[in-house]
């Protein structure tokens, strides 16, 4: 009887939109009170002054207006500005801050990513100093970015980061610097003075910044290579903020094309310098600094687009339910209660948008946490190398040895911890993939999905009044896909990092992990995802040595047609995987947490269905891309002579009699032998096209089978979307 009663329990369903408790568990900050407070602070700014400014038309100007500038004190008062700083610099978060900054970006972008950019660009401007600056530079510039305490009169540093230059100089190609640095004056026993000439293009915060970190190249035999230099408003020379950029996006941030020609002491070289044989040698080139900066800040950008997608869910549901009530509809009737939600397509598309938002948030926050984890390990690596007095090539060699140690450790799976350098290379190999993956997929695919969200709002989507500002968010997403390196840059990086044997070895373990999850929780779609991961890895490994029909190498940096799509496929897999892992975390840790226990089962069931449809979509993308690459570079042996017939079975060839008079299938096979010396593929042995790809073909066929149930999951998710409770009105203005 008991069993029967349990069997007839209704399946748990989603009752409300996910609460903060749910998010804290999924994105792993349930135990971090300071981050929870930060989220509340940032949310108050986003849904208060930022939302009001957008609703009042604050985005309708290119200039840096007083209204836009009024947001800066809000950032300062809410803790947003200080979150970047160390406690001894006026900050309040000890230790790594990647997750903290990611959460701020997420909250602000929920309403307007221009506001988020305004806040984050200040951090970006300081980041070169934070990452590679000397202790004196950190004390002077980073610490002075702290909001003023009552009674303080110092000038608060507001920073900008100037890399990009007017065409035809630096853009995606960061080495093509026009900005120059020369020795202006070098008196015996005194610090040299430098002349810095830099023209910037699209420089964020430039309408108000008073400190700029600028990338320049030496134009003087007495100064070596390139570097980043700190410029201050008030330095002797030209400090021209330039004209505001006529942006179509992120209008709440300030963007200008500045011009600088300033004299500064050599102590402004970020990270300091040495004098070798009468030459100033910067400790870090501009490339080294940019690399250290962007690998962290790009994660935050990825979360901006994730927030947009998730923020679209509620406005779309509210709009759909109220549409088409007409004059006759009465409460309780399907038309009155559901409106457009009576139509399956509207629900299915919203499920796709929501699943994409979840997967991208999961991937982005996982990347942010990974960088938090990496930071102390990286410091330890630096300490070990310094202790052994290893730099340059010697340090590189030591890290290569650590790579071998890490690989051996992964394969042996012993309980013993790997050494500090091996730990570093292990985590670093993941960071090298997760950062570009979340920047690329979250923003690029995210922008496509924002268009879907806009389309679900009909004509309203294309107005400034659209609830949730979805039209602006669609356009804004494209900037997130562009700045800090557009998609091509992320794909380029992935094409290198995804073939790191350490990453591939860990990826292989993730395949087994997905298969294990598939046996415990088949509803997540982990089976399809695991098979897709296997197919991707097989394809990647296959093309390391495979050549195209003309014998040219397939995996090569010039063949972006091969490497880039595989990078895209990997992103689909990584995001779907992380979403599954986060839902499992919600289910397991949520059960121990009293807050979300109410309604937890329904949320987990709904998210499990979203995982399934996302895994299926990721598997589909991977299957398509892998198949195009595995087969697409072979040339069919028969095409040159008579077009493609080998795909037909022999019986079908026989039926070609009508199409190609005078030749039946058997005759064709014979004529193939006669003409070319080789049997027609359809008649003899395995298909020539597929030779060497039998395993691929088997995996691909298996993958299709693994999609079992994914559309049922989508139907269930759609049903939940038609029933979930929303608020009466959004909690920010329109
Ligand atoms: C609103 C805004 C704010 C910005 N803020 C800042 C800032 O604060 N500081 C700063 O320094 N910069 C800033 N930028 C600049 C931004 O980072 C650059 O626009 C971006 O990195 C791309 O450079 P680009 O526009 O010159 O594109 P380009 O270099 O001209 O590239 C254009 C396109 O060509 C293709 N492409 C280029 N190279 C390759 C390749 N190797 N392989 C394949 N395809 C390729 C890609 O499709 C690429 O998107 C900002 C830009 C905007 C729009």
């Amino acid at each position: 009887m008991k069993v029967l009663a349990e069997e007839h329990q209704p399946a748990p369903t989603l009752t409300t939109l996910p609460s903060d408790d749910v998010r804290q568990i999924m994105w792993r900050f349930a135990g971090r009170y300071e981050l929870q407070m930060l989220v509340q602070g940032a949310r108050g700014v986003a849904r208060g002054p930022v939302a009001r400014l957008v609703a009042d038309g604050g985005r309708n100007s290119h200039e840096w207006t007083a209204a836009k500038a009024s947001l800066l004190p809000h950032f300062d008062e809410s803790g947003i500005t200080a979150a970047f700083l160390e406690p001894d610099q006026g900050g309040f978060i000890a230790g790594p801050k990647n997750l903290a900054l990611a959460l701020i970006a997420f909250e602000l972008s929920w309403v307007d990513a221009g506001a988020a950019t305004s806040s984050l660009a200040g951090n970006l401007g300081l980041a070169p100093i934070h990452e590679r600056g000397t202790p004196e530079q950190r004390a002077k510039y980073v610490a002075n970015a702290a909001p003023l305490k009552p009674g303080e009169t110092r000038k608060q540093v507001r920073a900008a980061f100037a890399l990009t230059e007017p065409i035809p100089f630096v853009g995606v190609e960061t080495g093509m610097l026009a900005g120059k640095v020369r020795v202006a004056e070098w008196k015996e026993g005194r610090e040299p003075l430098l002349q810095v000439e830099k023209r910037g293009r699209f420089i964020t915060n430039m309408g108000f910044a008073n400190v700029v970190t600028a990338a320049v190249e030496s134009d003087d035999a007495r100064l070596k290579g390139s570097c980043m230099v700190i410029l201050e408003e008030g330095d002797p020379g030209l400090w021209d903020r330039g004209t505001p950029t006529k942006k179509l996006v992120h209008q709440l941030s300030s963007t200008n094309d500045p011009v600088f020609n300033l004299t500064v002491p050599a102590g402004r070289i970020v990270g300091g310098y040495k004098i070798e044989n009468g030459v100033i040698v910067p400790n870090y080139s501009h490339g080294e600094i940019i690399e250290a900066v962007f690998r962290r800040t790009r994660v935050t950008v990825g979360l901006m687009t994730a927030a947009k997608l998730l923020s679209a869910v509620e406005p779309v549901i509210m709009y759909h339910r109220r549409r088409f009530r007409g004059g006759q509809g009465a409460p309780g009737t399907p038309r009155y209660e559901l409106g457009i939600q009576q139509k399956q397509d509207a629900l299915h598309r919203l499920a796709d948008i929501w699943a994409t938002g979840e997967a991208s948030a999961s991937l982005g926050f996982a990347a942010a946490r990974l960088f938090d984890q990496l930071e102390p390990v990286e410091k330890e690596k630096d300490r070990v190398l310094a202790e052994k007095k290893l730099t340059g090539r010697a340090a590189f060699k030591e890290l290569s040895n650590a790579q071998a140690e890490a690989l051996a450790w992964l394969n042996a799976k012993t309980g013993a911890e790997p050494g500090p350098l091996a730990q570093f290379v292990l985590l670093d190999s993941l960071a090298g993939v997760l950062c570009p993956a979340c920047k690329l997929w979250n923003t690029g695919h995210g922008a496509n999905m924002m268009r879907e969200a806009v389309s679900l709002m009909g004509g309203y989507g294309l107005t400034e009044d659209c609830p949730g500002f979805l039209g602006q968010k669609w356009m804004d997403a494209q900037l997130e896909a562009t700045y800090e390196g557009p998609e091509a840059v992320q794909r380029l990086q992935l094409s290198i990092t995804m073939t790191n044997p350490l990453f591939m070895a860990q990826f292989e373990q993730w395949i087994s992990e997905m298969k294990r999850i598939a046996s415990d929780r088949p509803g997540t779609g982990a089976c399809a995802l695991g098979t897709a991961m296997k197919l991707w890895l097989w394809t990647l490994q296959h093309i390391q040595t495979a050549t195209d029909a003309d014998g040219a190498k397939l995996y090569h940096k010039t063949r972006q047609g091969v490497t880039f799509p595989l990078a895209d496929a990997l992103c689909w897999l990584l995001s779907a995987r992380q979403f599954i892992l986060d839902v499992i975390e919600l289910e397991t840790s949520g059960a121990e947490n009293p807050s979300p226990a109410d309604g937890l089962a329904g949320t987990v069931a709904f998210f499990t269905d979203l995982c399934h449809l996302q895994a299926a979509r990721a598997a589909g993308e991977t299957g398509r891309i892998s198949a195009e690459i595995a087969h697409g570079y072979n040339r069919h042996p028969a095409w040159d002579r008579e077009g493609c017939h080998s795909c037909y079975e022999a019986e079908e060839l026989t039926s070609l009699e009508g199409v190609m008079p005078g030749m039946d299938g058997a005759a064709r096979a014979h004529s193939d032998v006669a003409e070319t010396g080789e049997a027609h593929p359809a008649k003899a042995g395995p298909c020539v096209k597929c030779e060497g790809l039998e395993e691929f073909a088997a995996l691909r066929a298996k993958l299709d089978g693994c999609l079992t149930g994914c559309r049922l999951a989508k139907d269930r998710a759609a049903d939940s979307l038609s029933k979930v409770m929303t608020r009466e009105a959004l909690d920010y203005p329109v």
Side-chain angles (χ1 to χ4, degrees), residues 26 91 103 128 138 145 153 193 200 295 311 340 343 352 394 398 414 520 598 615 691 705:
M26 289 178 79
L103 287 165
R138 286 196 193 126
T153 53
L193 291 179
R295 68 189 310 227
S311 80
I340 292 175
K343 311 295 176 195
D352 281 334
E398 189 79 357
T414 64
D520 296 344
D598 192 25
E691 227 172 274

Side-chain angles (χ1 to χ4, degrees), residues 161 163-164 171-172 201-204 247 479 482 484-486 488 560:
F161 175 91
L163 170 66
T164 311
V172 164
R201 178 167 171 248
F202 302 154
I203 305 305
T204 306
K247 282 182 297 185
L479 175 60
T482 301
E484 292 204 28
Q560 296 179 344

Side-chain angles (χ1 to χ4, degrees), residues 652-676:
E652 288 171 314
L653 279 170
T654 307
S655 73
L656 279 177
E657 171 69 24
V659 186
M660 306 190 76
M663 192 174 275
D664 66 17
R668 173 168 297 282
H670 282 127
S671 79
D672 279 339
V673 177
E675 279 174 35
T676 64

Side-chain angles (χ1 to χ4, degrees), residues 406-414 426 430 501-517 530 533-534 537 541 577 581:
L407 208 50
W409 176 81
L410 271 180
N411 292 332
K413 290 185 196 142
T414 64
L426 269 170
L430 296 185
L502 266 188
F503 171 71
M504 286 165 100
Q506 291 175 88
F507 189 82
E508 223 158 335
Q509 295 186 343
W510 294 351
I511 295 174
S512 311
E513 172 198 46
M514 275 304 129
K515 292 294 171 187
R516 277 197 304 277
I517 292 173
M533 288 164 80
K534 210 166 166 182
L537 191 61
Q541 284 166 339
R577 168 183 177 267
L581 296 182

